[in-house]
Amino acid sequence: MTYTKKLLYQSNYWYNEGLKKAKIRDLSGAAVSLRKSLQYNRVNIQARNLLGLVYYGRGEVAEALVEWIISKHLKAQDNIANYYVKAIQDAPGELEAINQAVKKYNQCLAYCDQGGEDLAIIQLKKITTVHTSFLKAHQLLALLYMHTDQYAKAKQVLRRAYKIDTKNEMTLRYVQELNKVSSAKDTKGKEQKASPAVYQTRKDTPIQPVSSALRENGKLNILNMVIGVIIGAAVVWFLIMPAAAKTKTEQSNESFRQYSEKMEAQSAQISALQKELDEYRNKSEQAEASKADMQAMQSSYEAVLLVKEQYRSGEYSNATMAETLKTVKADTLGEKAAELYNELAEDIFDPLCRDAYSEAEESYDEEDYASAITLLNEVIALRPGYKDGKALLMLGNAYAKNNEKEKASEAYNRILSLYPDGDIAQQAKDAAAELAGTPETPSGGNAPSTDENSPTTDEDTSGEDEE
């Protein structure tokens, strides 16, 4: 068996292991096996597509998209990854909801660092409702419930997390800790039940018969009763009534305070509802923007991978590859893709810029300014700061010579924006001033002569470029 066959055999072996684990919802184990499969054979399309599904099943949509886009590049036709990517793109609202859930999850981590567990729990409950397969959000919510002694709720959340990924190490660890706490509480409850409190009852007290002396003094008792009523009325009038009036006033004040707080709460609620309404109004625009960003990211990844294969094959010209590479939006790429893009740009753009710049110098010297402008624009489209701004300076001079003053001024201003200091900036300032008819006085020297026989700034600059 050759070395290549051994690699393919190992790749297929780990793919089968990953498939078995994925069928029993052991997503963590499946991800490990599938990554090993791709280490042996990176073009194993089935393993890559299944790894994307495993990521998607754990709520990691961005990671799943990366795997499917790579799979599409490796095999463009008859690839189920095309269906997966299209299904996500056709549901921009769902994609935006997942994106917001991830952002809120990161905010919950910040709340936890700041001691705001209650706020984090409220947000995580919303996140797990919207993005039900977000495993990390379920785990964090369960951990916060355990931290705040809400063990019954933690148990429910861990059950949902277990259904998402049955062999996830973090979930199983939380379950083990929760079982320890439950066992300790059960043991304590049994000890308390084994030693109940003992209460003693008293014997009934016999009812004593009415004494004869009380019957004899009945009239005195009635008189005492009347006196007691009069004293009670006086106490009510002088003591209880003022206290009652004070209590009533305090109750009125309390009612007014509660009413004020209620009004403030309603105002805040109305403000929140108004804000939510504005968010709903912008929802369609955000969904479209999210879809456009996702398409731009996909197109940029595909363009970089395509140029990489073209460059490796050696069958394509730099001009052809440059046209594809110019469509890439570098700010949408990840770290590794950005490194690859920079390497390709250096190998492809630089030779084209060198040749075009050399031809532009020749055209400029021959006073063919239109051709020079075309060539220099090609250079700047690939490398805006080529030769530390000299290409931009020559372009401005060519525009000035071609009587396109507005475009010449734009080129000079662009130099001042990119290179505010140094010799190139001073040359741009002098050229712009001469273009406006008011030459600047260089620091430490006299103003440049306006005599017809005096060399212009443009000619000097051209000479420097030729050197």
Side-chain angles (χ1 to χ4, degrees):
M1 183 179 293
T2 63
Y3 182 72
T4 303
K5 288 184 178 180
K6 288 182 179 180
L7 292 178
L8 294 176
Y9 173 80
Q10 287 294 328
S11 178
N12 292 333
Y13 170 79
W14 285 112
Y15 165 73
N16 292 327
E17 286 294 313
L19 182 61
K20 291 178 184 177
K21 293 176 180 179
K23 286 181 177 179
I24 60 174
R25 296 295 297 185
D26 179 10
L27 302 186
S28 298
V32 173
S33 298
L34 293 170
R35 284 195 290 266
K36 287 184 179 179
S37 175
L38 293 175
Q39 288 178 353
Y40 287 104
N41 180 16
R42 73 181 185 86
V43 296
N44 191 336
I45 301 300
Q46 291 179 324
R48 196 171 292 279
N49 290 340
L50 182 57
L51 180 58
L53 285 175
V54 168
Y55 284 144
Y56 189 85
R58 296 195 307 191
E60 301 170 5
V61 180
E63 288 80 354
L65 277 172
V66 170
E67 297 299 331
W68 291 333
I69 290 173
I70 296 174
S71 176
K72 283 180 59 180
H73 169 71
L74 295 175
K75 183 180 179 184
Q77 302 296 329
D78 298 329
N79 191 343
I80 197 172
N82 294 316
Y83 168 77
Y84 296 149
V85 174
K86 187 176 184 300
I88 293 177
Q89 290 178 343
D90 290 342
E94 181 180 353
L95 186 62
E96 176 62 21
I98 292 173
N99 185 37
Q100 292 298 325
V102 174
K103 290 182 180 179
K104 291 180 180 178
Y105 172 78
N106 293 332
Q107 184 62 47
C108 289
L109 294 177
Y111 287 153
C112 293
D113 290 337
Q114 299 166 5
E117 288 85 357
D118 293 338
L119 289 174
I121 289 173
I122 293 172
Q123 285 280 35
L124 288 168
K125 288 169 67 177
K126 294 179 181 178
I127 292 170
T128 53
T129 301
V130 175
H131 192 8
T132 55
S133 61
F134 197 175
L135 179 61
K136 292 181 180 179
H138 284 87
Q139 291 173 340
L140 181 58
L141 179 58
L143 181 62
L144 289 174
Y145 276 144
M146 294 169 64
H147 183 67
T148 55
D149 298 335
Q150 303 180 61
Y151 300 112
K153 292 182 179 180
K155 188 175 183 180
Q156 293 177 355
V157 176
L158 287 175
R159 284 177 180 173
R160 294 199 296 267
Y162 181 80
K163 290 179 180 179
I164 296 172
D165 189 353
T166 58
K167 297 295 179 65
N168 184 269
E169 181 180 353
M170 191 66 68
T171 302
L172 296 177
R173 181 181 175 184
Y174 290 166
V175 170
Q176 184 179 10
E177 293 297 326
L178 185 61
N179 290 336
K180 289 181 180 179
V181 174
S182 300
S183 300
K185 289 179 65 179
D186 292 342
T187 303
K188 185 176 180 180
K190 289 179 180 178
E191 291 176 355
Q192 291 178 350
K193 189 175 180 181
S195 57
V198 178
Y199 297 95
Q200 295 180 352
T201 59
R202 297 182 304 169
K203 294 182 180 180
D204 295 337
T205 303
I207 301 174
Q208 299 294 333
V210 180
S211 82
S212 56
L214 183 59
R215 288 196 301 268
E216 293 177 354
N217 296 326
K219 294 180 180 180
L220 182 60
N221 290 336
I222 293 174
L223 180 60
N224 290 335
M225 187 181 297
V226 172
I227 295 172
V229 170
I230 294 172
I231 293 174
V235 170
V236 169
W237 181 260
F238 291 103
L239 298 179
I240 297 178
M241 289 298 290
K246 182 179 179 182
T247 302
K248 188 175 182 180
T249 302
E250 291 176 353
Q251 289 176 349
S252 299
N253 293 335
E254 179 66 19
S255 299
F256 180 76
R257 186 184 62 80
Q258 292 178 355
Y259 177 76
S260 299
E261 290 179 353
K262 186 176 180 181
M263 289 297 293
E264 291 176 359
Q266 288 179 350
S267 298
Q269 187 176 10
I270 291 171
S271 178
L273 291 174
Q274 183 65 39
K275 184 178 180 181
E276 186 175 357
L277 178 60
D278 294 337
E279 290 177 356
Y280 279 124
R281 287 174 179 171
N282 296 329
K283 189 175 182 180
S284 58
E285 298 178 2
Q286 293 175 353
E288 290 298 325
S290 177
K291 183 178 180 181
D293 292 342
M294 184 59 65
Q295 290 175 345
M297 181 184 73
Q298 178 185 345
S299 301
S300 297
Y301 270 95
E302 291 176 347
V304 171
L305 293 173
L306 176 60
V307 173
K308 178 186 177 183
E309 295 298 328
Q310 291 176 345
Y311 185 79
R312 182 180 294 174
S313 68
E315 299 176 358
Y316 296 85
S317 65
N318 285 342
T320 301
M321 292 185 289
E323 288 300 320
T324 304
L325 205 58
K326 283 194 295 186
T327 63
V328 174
K329 292 186 177 180
D331 56 348
T332 64
L333 299 175
E335 182 179 354
K336 292 184 179 179
E339 291 178 1
L340 177 59
Y341 168 77
N342 292 331
E343 292 175 2
L344 292 171
E346 183 176 352
D347 293 339
I348 295 171
F349 287 164
D350 288 358
L352 292 174
C353 291
R354 184 174 58 251
D355 295 341
Y357 185 78
S358 178
E359 293 180 19
E361 285 183 318
E362 294 177 2
S363 298
Y364 188 92
D365 292 339
E366 295 171 0
E367 298 184 357
D368 185 3
Y369 301 118
S371 298
I373 289 170
T374 301
L375 292 167
L376 289 168
N377 276 321
E378 292 178 2
V379 172
I380 291 167
L382 299 177
R383 293 294 195 194
Y386 189 68
K387 283 189 174 295
D388 297 328
K390 288 184 178 181
L392 270 172
L393 183 61
M394 188 188 294
L395 177 62
N397 294 338
Y399 275 131
K401 293 287 188 181
N402 207 37
N403 292 324
E404 299 181 54
K405 295 185 177 181
E406 185 176 346
K407 291 184 178 179
S409 180
E410 290 178 0
Y412 295 144
N413 289 332
R414 191 172 179 185
I415 292 173
L416 296 176
S417 176
L418 294 175
Y419 306 97
D421 300 318
D423 183 61
I424 197 73
Q426 185 60 46
Q427 293 183 50
K429 289 179 182 179
D430 294 342
E434 184 174 351
L435 185 67
T438 56
E440 280 191 358
T441 301
S443 59
N446 298 323
S449 174
T450 57
D451 190 88
E452 293 180 355
N453 297 324
S454 298
T456 63
T457 304
D458 300 329
E459 292 170 354
D460 293 341
T461 305
S462 301
E464 288 176 5
D465 290 338
E466 289 174 0
E467 289 176 5

